Amino acid sequence: MRALVVGSGAIGLRTAVELIRRKVPVTLRSPVSPLHPSVCSIGAGGLWMPFHCDDSRTDRWASETLDELWSLGKEEDNDLVEIMPAVSLENNNNELVRQTEDTNSTYTDTDKLPTWTKDPRLEFQQLTVEMLGWQNIVKKLRIPTEEELKRAGYWHAWMFQTPIVDSPKMLQALLKEIEENPDADVDVETGEYYESVDHMQEVAQSLSCDTVINCAGMGSHAMCQDKNLVGGRGVLLQVERNNCPRRPSLQGMEQDAVLLTEARPWGSDTEPCYMIPRGNIIAIGGTYLEGDTHPQLRDSERKRLMENAQLMGIDIANANILGEWTGFRPYRPIVRCEEEETQGHVRVIHSYGHGGSGWTVNVGAAKEVADILLRT
Ligand SMILES: Cc1cc2nc3c(=O)[nH]c(=O)nc-3n(C[C@H](O)[C@H](O)[C@H](O)COP(=O)(O)OP(=O)(O)OC[C@H]3O[C@@H](n4cnc5c(N)ncnc54)[C@H](O)[C@@H]3O)c2cc1C
C-alpha cells in the first residue's frame, strides 16, 4: 500500500502525517510550497473555533483536533500552539440571550449553543460587559474597556480559552515530520496543478501508489468539477505583535487575547471584526464573502481593517503593518471526506471543503481519511 497525498495545506500535511504514524508509506505532491501565499492555510488566523464548516462530523473532528492542540499548547518550549482567552462580543439582538420578564437580567438558552462550547477545557462562559470589565481587573486583557464596549452597544460576551496555531510554523513542522520519514517521497513544489480526478490517478499510478488522497482545497472546484465548493473570501491585515502600540485607554493591560464579533456595530456575518494574536503577528480581519473572487484587498477593505484595529485597541497609526493577505476558505455545504467509486485501479479518497475551520478540524479529518483507507 502506498498513498499519494495531493496538496500540502493544513489538511494534506496533517493527513500525510497521520498515514505515516499508522505506517502507511506516503508520496506527497503539491504545486507550490506550503508557505506560498496562494495556500489558504498559511494566512489563516489559526484560531481553534468551528466556523463555516457544516458537517455532522465537525464536532468530533474539532474535538480530536483540540486534544492534540491542547497538549501541544501545554508543553513547555512549544512554539507551535498558544492557548489564550478569546472574547466574542454580542449585542442584545442575539437570539440565544433572552431577557427575563420580571427583572432586567438575562439568561442564555444554553441548549442552542453549539456542542463544542461544552468542552470543559474551554471554560466557555457568558459574561455581561460589566462582568467582563470586572474580570479584566485581574486578567488584564488587551481588549477595549467596559465603557468603550457599552458605548458601542455591546451587552455581553462569550469568553473561552482556546488554542491558536502558528500556521506557518505548524506547516513547516508537519512537513518536516513527513520528510524525515524514510518511507516518504516528498515534492511540494512541482509546479503541476492536476486537472481532473483521472489526472491524479494517472500520476498516482506513475508513482506506484494504489490510492490518491485529494487534499487540494479550493483546487478541487476545477479538478472535481465540484460546483458545491465555493470560496469564502477573507481579508487580513498583519500587524507586528511585538511591542504593538495600544490606545492610551488600554495602558497596563498586558495580556494578549482574541477578540471577535459578528454583531453590529463593529461586525456582521459577511464582515466579521476580529483580531487574532498569532506567532509574530496580530491578524486583523475580516470578511466572509462567498463567491467573491477578488484576489487582493480593496481600498475600502483596507480602510475598514485599519478602523477595526483601532476599535479593538491597537494604535494603528503607530503600529508596524507587516503585510496583508486575501484567502479563500474552501466552503462546501457538506465537507467532502469520502471515497469516490471510480473505474480505475487507483482508489480515490477526497478530503476538502473544510471552510473556515481547516486548522480547527484537520487532525480529526486526517484520522477519518486514515480510517477510510485502512477499513477495506
Ligand atoms: C482569512 C482567513 C482566516 C482563516 N482563519 C482560520 C482560523 O482562524 N482557524 C481555522 O481553523 N481556519 C481558518 N481559516 C480556514 C483555513 O485556512 C482553511 O480551512 C484551510 O486552510 C483549508 O486547508 P486545505 O489544506 O484544505 O487548503 P489549502 O491550505 O489551500 O491547501 C490546498 C493545497 O492543494 C494544492 N492544490 C490546489 N490546487 C491543486 C491542483 N489542481 N492540483 C494539485 N494540488 C493543488 C495547493 O497548492 C495546496 O498545497 C481561515 C481562512 C481564511 C481565508
Side-chain angles (χ1 to χ4, degrees):
M1 185 186 276
R2 175 170 274 277
L4 168 65
V5 176
V6 173
S8 62
I11 301 297
L13 291 181
R14 187 57 188 78
T15 302
V17 162
E18 188 64 25
L19 296 179
I20 277 170
R21 290 184 190 169
R22 298 202 200 181
K23 312 276 182 254
V24 177
V26 162
T27 296
L28 176 67
R29 292 288 184 271
S30 76
V32 291
S33 139
L35 304 186
H36 192 274
S38 67
V39 176
C40 188
S41 307
I42 182 84
L47 169 72
W48 184 97
M49 190 186 86
F51 178 72
H52 290 286
C53 183
D54 295 330
D55 195 296
S56 56
R57 300 165 291 185
T58 298
D59 281 333
R60 175 166 50 85
W61 293 342
S63 169
E64 288 170 350
T65 307
L66 183 64
D67 292 344
E68 185 164 299
L69 298 182
W70 201 266
S71 36
L72 266 174
K74 293 283 174 190
E75 269 174 26
E76 259 177 54
D77 300 334
N78 118 79
D79 61 353
L80 299 175
V81 177
E82 211 176 328
I83 297 174
M84 75 173 71
V87 175
S88 171
L89 301 173
E90 299 289 347
N91 55 28
N92 56 0
N93 297 326
N94 188 312
E95 58 161 24
L96 284 169
V97 182
R98 315 242 170 274
Q99 192 114 14
T100 51
E101 280 170 16
D102 47 342
T103 71
N104 269 340
S105 60
T106 58
Y107 70 92
T108 308
D109 227 342
T110 47
D111 286 351
K112 288 190 182 161
L113 283 173
T115 314
W116 64 264
T117 59
K118 308 210 165 50
D119 190 303
R121 289 170 291 192
L122 303 175
E123 297 172 34
F124 196 88
Q125 56 186 305
Q126 184 190 18
L127 300 172
T128 62
V129 165
E130 288 85 355
M131 286 154 79
L132 180 64
W134 179 79
Q135 272 221 14
N136 224 7
I137 293 172
V138 182
K139 294 211 159 80
K140 306 233 175 297
L141 305 182
R142 275 195 283 234
I143 58 173
T145 63
E146 180 185 329
E147 288 69 34
E148 288 165 347
L149 294 178
K150 276 186 175 162
R151 218 177 306 132
Y154 292 108
W155 237 48
H156 73 112
W158 310 107
M159 189 171 181
F160 55 105
Q161 301 293 317
T162 196
I164 315 289
V165 179
D166 188 336
S167 322
K169 278 198 179 145
M170 183 64 97
L171 288 167
Q172 284 170 291
L174 292 170
L175 182 60
K176 186 161 177 273
E177 182 171 342
I178 303 161
E179 283 173 336
E180 282 175 355
N181 186 282
D183 260 340
D185 162 15
V186 178
D187 186 350
V188 290
E189 288 182 81
T190 62
E192 190 181 16
Y193 286 85
Y194 305 141
E195 285 163 14
S196 62
V197 173
D198 287 351
H199 189 183
M200 280 193 302
Q201 285 179 302
E202 281 163 27
V203 173
Q205 223 160 3
S206 72
L207 294 167
S208 307
C209 296
D210 50 22
T211 306
V212 57
I213 299 172
N214 168 24
C215 306
M218 273 313 293
S220 305
H221 180 78
M223 200 162 59
C224 305
Q225 313 260 308
D226 188 342
K227 296 200 169 57
N228 286 322
L229 182 67
V230 290
R233 180 170 170 274
V235 292
L236 293 176
L237 271 190
Q238 298 160 333
V239 175
E240 188 173 19
R241 184 172 170 193
N242 221 358
N243 298 322
C244 179
R246 303 295 168 135
R247 287 197 268 104
S249 59
L250 304 187
Q251 293 312 326
M253 308 309 263
E254 304 294 337
Q255 299 302 318
D256 275 325
V258 174
L259 187 70
L260 52 134
T261 186
E262 286 190 341
R264 292 191 188 284
W266 296 353
S268 71
D269 292 354
T270 51
E271 294 192 331
C273 169
Y274 61 87
M275 68 170 174
I276 306 177
R278 188 208 76 183
N280 64 335
I281 64 155
I282 302 178
I284 306 290
T287 56
Y288 181 84
L289 296 168
E290 283 185 12
D292 181 352
T293 55
H294 194 67
Q296 284 119 20
L297 263 71
R298 299 182 174 96
D299 288 344
S300 57
E301 290 172 332
R302 193 172 296 110
K303 183 167 171 285
R304 200 186 122 249
L305 295 184
M306 305 271 271
E307 284 165 4
N308 284 357
Q310 187 72 23
L311 286 170
M312 289 185 287
I314 294 172
D315 174 12
I316 195 67
N318 292 307
N320 191 8
I321 299 178
L322 296 176
E324 52 185 51
W325 180 73
T326 304
F328 299 89
R329 303 169 180 91
Y331 176 76
R332 207 170 177 272
I334 297 176
V335 178
R336 191 163 188 206
C337 187
E338 62 183 20
E339 180 156 8
E340 181 179 339
E341 300 260 326
T342 57
Q343 303 296 329
H345 296 299
V346 175
R347 290 174 70 188
V348 178
I349 300 173
H350 297 284
S351 186
Y352 65 84
H354 305 83
S357 301
W359 285 110
T360 305
V361 300
N362 70 336
V363 174
K367 288 180 189 292
E368 182 94 31
V369 167
D371 289 345
I372 295 172
L373 177 68
L374 298 172
R375 198 177 296 144
T376 41

